[in-house]
Amino acid sequence: MFRRVIRTVVVGSRKIKIKCKWWKRNGERFYFTLPQTDTIYSLSTPPGRSAVSVIRLSGPKSLSALSLLTNTAENKFSPSKMTVKTFKRPNKNEVIDTCYTFYSPSPKTFTGEDVVEFQTHGSPAVIRAFLESLSQIEGLRQAEAGEFTRRALRNNKLDYTQVEGLKDLINSNTEAQRIQ
Protein backbone atom coordinates (compact mmCIF):
# COMPACT_ATOMS: atom_id res chain seq x y z
CA MET A 1 0.00 0.00 0.00
CA PHE A 2 2.77 2.50 0.90
CA ARG A 3 5.78 3.23 -1.30
CA ARG A 4 9.03 4.73 -0.04
CA VAL A 5 10.76 7.56 -1.84
CA ILE A 6 13.39 10.21 -1.14
CA ARG A 7 12.19 13.73 -1.97
CA THR A 8 14.19 16.94 -2.17
CA VAL A 9 12.52 19.74 -0.24
CA VAL A 10 13.51 23.41 -0.10
CA VAL A 11 13.76 24.72 3.47
CA GLY A 12 14.62 28.41 3.49
CA SER A 13 17.53 28.76 1.08
CA ARG A 14 18.78 25.16 1.30
CA LYS A 15 17.67 21.90 -0.24
CA ILE A 16 17.39 18.82 1.96
CA LYS A 17 16.56 15.22 1.14
CA ILE A 18 13.93 13.52 3.27
CA LYS A 19 12.64 9.97 3.33
CA CYS A 20 8.90 9.79 2.68
CA LYS A 21 6.15 7.26 2.27
CA TRP A 22 3.43 7.91 -0.27
CA TRP A 23 0.19 6.39 -1.43
CA LYS A 24 -2.43 7.17 -4.05
CA ARG A 25 -6.09 7.72 -3.36
CA ASN A 26 -8.54 8.76 -6.06
CA GLY A 27 -5.61 9.53 -8.35
CA GLU A 28 -4.07 11.99 -5.87
CA ARG A 29 -0.67 11.27 -4.34
CA PHE A 30 -0.25 11.78 -0.57
CA TYR A 31 3.16 12.07 1.13
CA PHE A 32 4.24 11.92 4.74
CA THR A 33 7.73 11.91 6.13
CA LEU A 34 9.37 9.03 7.91
CA PRO A 35 10.77 9.43 11.45
CA GLN A 36 12.41 12.76 12.09
CA THR A 37 14.69 13.90 14.87
CA ASP A 38 13.13 17.29 15.47
CA THR A 39 10.77 18.16 18.29
CA ILE A 40 7.66 20.16 17.51
CA TYR A 41 5.56 22.47 19.65
CA SER A 42 2.25 24.24 19.22
CA LEU A 43 -0.45 26.14 21.02
CA SER A 44 -3.21 23.51 21.36
CA THR A 45 -5.99 25.83 22.52
CA PRO A 46 -7.52 28.62 20.41
CA PRO A 47 -5.42 31.80 20.42
CA GLY A 48 -6.65 34.75 22.44
CA ARG A 49 -7.36 35.57 26.07
CA SER A 50 -8.51 32.74 28.35
CA ALA A 51 -8.04 31.39 31.86
CA VAL A 52 -5.87 28.49 30.67
CA SER A 53 -3.90 27.76 27.51
CA VAL A 54 -2.28 24.49 26.54
CA ILE A 55 1.06 24.26 24.74
CA ARG A 56 2.25 20.81 23.61
CA LEU A 57 5.64 19.45 22.60
CA SER A 58 6.25 16.14 20.87
CA GLY A 59 9.58 14.57 20.01
CA PRO A 60 12.88 13.41 21.45
CA LYS A 61 13.85 16.78 22.98
CA SER A 62 10.56 17.38 24.82
CA LEU A 63 11.88 16.40 28.23
CA SER A 64 15.15 18.32 27.82
CA ALA A 65 13.17 21.45 26.84
CA LEU A 66 11.05 21.04 29.99
CA SER A 67 14.20 20.62 32.05
CA LEU A 68 15.79 23.72 30.52
CA LEU A 69 12.74 25.94 31.07
CA THR A 70 12.33 24.86 34.71
CA ASN A 71 16.02 24.51 35.70
CA THR A 72 15.16 21.00 36.94
CA ALA A 73 17.06 17.77 36.24
CA GLU A 74 15.34 15.49 33.72
CA ASN A 75 15.20 12.59 36.19
CA LYS A 76 13.08 14.70 38.59
CA PHE A 77 10.00 14.49 36.37
CA SER A 78 7.70 11.55 37.04
CA PRO A 79 6.11 10.17 33.88
CA SER A 80 2.36 10.75 33.54
CA LYS A 81 2.20 12.92 36.66
CA MET A 82 1.03 16.53 36.67
CA THR A 83 3.35 18.93 38.53
CA VAL A 84 3.45 22.66 39.18
CA LYS A 85 6.65 24.39 38.04
CA THR A 86 7.95 27.91 37.57
CA PHE A 87 9.15 28.51 34.02
CA LYS A 88 11.95 30.89 33.06
CA ARG A 89 13.33 32.04 29.75
CA PRO A 90 16.33 29.98 28.63
CA ASN A 91 19.66 31.39 29.88
CA LYS A 92 17.87 34.18 31.78
CA ASN A 93 16.38 34.54 35.22
CA GLU A 94 13.13 36.07 33.91
CA VAL A 95 10.04 34.19 35.09
CA ILE A 96 7.48 33.48 32.37
CA ASP A 97 4.77 31.80 34.45
CA THR A 98 4.05 29.23 37.13
CA CYS A 99 1.86 26.52 35.69
CA TYR A 100 1.00 22.85 35.50
CA THR A 101 3.15 20.61 33.37
CA PHE A 102 2.79 17.02 32.29
CA TYR A 103 5.42 14.67 30.82
CA SER A 104 4.50 11.40 29.12
CA PRO A 105 7.20 9.17 27.61
CA SER A 106 6.85 7.31 24.34
CA PRO A 107 5.25 5.12 23.14
CA LYS A 108 2.07 5.58 25.22
CA THR A 109 1.15 8.99 23.80
CA PHE A 110 -1.06 10.28 20.98
CA THR A 111 1.95 10.75 18.67
CA GLY A 112 3.92 7.74 19.93
CA GLU A 113 6.75 10.09 20.94
CA ASP A 114 7.76 11.78 24.20
CA VAL A 115 5.17 14.48 24.92
CA VAL A 116 5.24 17.47 27.29
CA GLU A 117 2.22 19.63 27.96
CA PHE A 118 2.19 23.06 29.62
CA GLN A 119 -1.08 24.38 31.03
CA THR A 120 -0.29 28.08 31.29
CA HIS A 121 -2.33 31.13 32.11
CA GLY A 122 -4.14 32.23 28.97
CA SER A 123 -2.76 35.75 28.70
CA PRO A 124 -1.54 36.58 25.18
CA ALA A 125 1.70 37.92 26.73
CA VAL A 126 2.34 34.64 28.61
CA ILE A 127 1.61 32.55 25.52
CA ARG A 128 3.89 34.73 23.38
CA ALA A 129 6.72 34.48 25.96
CA PHE A 130 6.38 30.67 26.11
CA LEU A 131 6.38 30.28 22.32
CA GLU A 132 9.34 32.66 21.93
CA SER A 133 11.28 30.74 24.59
CA LEU A 134 10.56 27.42 22.88
CA SER A 135 11.67 28.84 19.52
CA GLN A 136 15.08 29.69 21.02
CA ILE A 137 15.79 26.07 22.03
CA GLU A 138 17.90 24.22 19.48
CA GLY A 139 16.13 21.25 17.90
CA LEU A 140 12.62 22.61 18.51
CA ARG A 141 10.39 24.10 15.86
CA GLN A 142 6.77 25.15 15.58
CA ALA A 143 4.50 22.39 14.29
CA GLU A 144 2.81 22.61 10.94
CA ALA A 145 -0.97 22.26 10.76
CA GLY A 146 -1.90 18.61 11.35
CA GLU A 147 1.65 17.53 12.18
CA PHE A 148 0.79 15.95 15.54
CA THR A 149 -1.79 13.79 13.74
CA ARG A 150 0.69 12.95 10.96
CA ARG A 151 3.15 11.74 13.58
CA ALA A 152 0.43 9.60 15.18
CA LEU A 153 -0.26 8.07 11.75
CA ARG A 154 3.44 7.52 11.08
CA ASN A 155 3.93 5.83 14.45
CA ASN A 156 0.89 3.56 13.93
CA LYS A 157 -1.12 5.21 16.72
CA LEU A 158 -3.91 6.02 14.24
CA ASP A 159 -4.86 4.51 10.91
CA TYR A 160 -6.01 6.50 7.90
CA THR A 161 -9.70 6.00 8.71
CA GLN A 162 -9.18 7.33 12.26
CA VAL A 163 -7.31 10.36 10.87
CA GLU A 164 -10.24 11.15 8.57
CA GLY A 165 -12.67 10.67 11.48
CA LEU A 166 -10.63 13.04 13.64
CA LYS A 167 -10.62 15.65 10.85
CA ASP A 168 -14.40 15.33 10.51
CA LEU A 169 -14.87 15.67 14.29
CA ILE A 170 -12.66 18.78 14.48
CA ASN A 171 -14.56 20.37 11.57
CA SER A 172 -18.04 19.45 12.86
CA ASN A 173 -20.47 22.32 13.51
CA THR A 174 -23.66 20.46 14.35
CA GLU A 175 -24.61 17.60 16.68
CA ALA A 176 -25.38 15.38 13.67
CA GLN A 177 -21.89 16.00 12.24
CA ARG A 178 -20.30 15.28 15.62
CA ILE A 179 -22.10 11.94 16.00
CA GLN A 180 -21.46 10.75 12.44
Side-chain angles (χ1 to χ4, degrees), residues 16-180:
I16 60 170
K17 292 186 177 190
I18 57 172
K19 292 180 183 177
C20 298
K21 283 186 179 180
W22 68 272
W23 71 95
K24 274 189 177 178
R25 184 167 187 236
N26 298 331
E28 189 174 351
R29 194 178 277 192
F30 296 89
Y31 290 93
F32 67 93
T33 58
L34 294 174
Q36 301 172 353
T37 58
D38 56 346
T39 297
I40 57 173
Y41 64 90
S42 181
L43 178 65
S44 295
T45 50
R49 193 173 314 277
S50 63
V52 177
S53 288
V54 176
I55 299 170
R56 279 198 191 100
L57 285 78
S58 180
K61 293 189 176 179
S62 297
L63 184 58
S64 61
L66 174 61
S67 177
L68 179 66
L69 291 173
T70 60
N71 292 326
T72 306
E74 289 183 18
N75 62 0
K76 298 291 183 186
F77 293 100
S78 299
S80 304
K81 183 179 178 186
M82 189 79 72
T83 57
V84 177
K85 291 287 182 183
T86 298
F87 291 83
K88 297 180 180 181
R89 289 188 184 269
N91 305 318
K92 294 184 182 177
N93 204 21
E94 179 188 338
V95 173
I96 300 172
D97 195 11
T98 300
C99 62
Y100 286 105
T101 188
F102 179 82
Y103 162 66
S104 187
S106 65
K108 296 182 179 182
T109 63
F110 175 77
T111 60
E113 302 173 331
D114 288 352
V115 170
V116 167
E117 184 175 288
F118 307 114
Q119 295 184 6
T120 71
H121 291 95
S123 156
V126 171
I127 296 167
R128 192 172 31 258
F130 252 101
L131 296 177
E132 285 173 5
S133 295
L134 290 170
S135 72
Q136 294 170 0
I137 300 173
E138 190 174 330
L140 269 66
R141 67 172 175 81
Q142 193 151 13
E144 299 169 8
E147 190 166 3
F148 285 89
T149 304
R150 277 196 302 276
R151 288 183 179 212
L153 178 66
R154 180 188 69 210
N155 292 323
N156 296 319
K157 293 297 184 173
L158 297 175
D159 61 32
Y160 190 72
T161 304
Q162 291 171 312
V163 170
E164 285 187 337
L166 180 60
K167 178 190 69 119
D168 291 343
L169 178 63
I170 290 170
N171 292 325
S172 65
N173 290 316
T174 67
E175 185 67 14
Q177 290 173 329
R178 182 193 65 80
I179 292 172
Q180 190 174 4

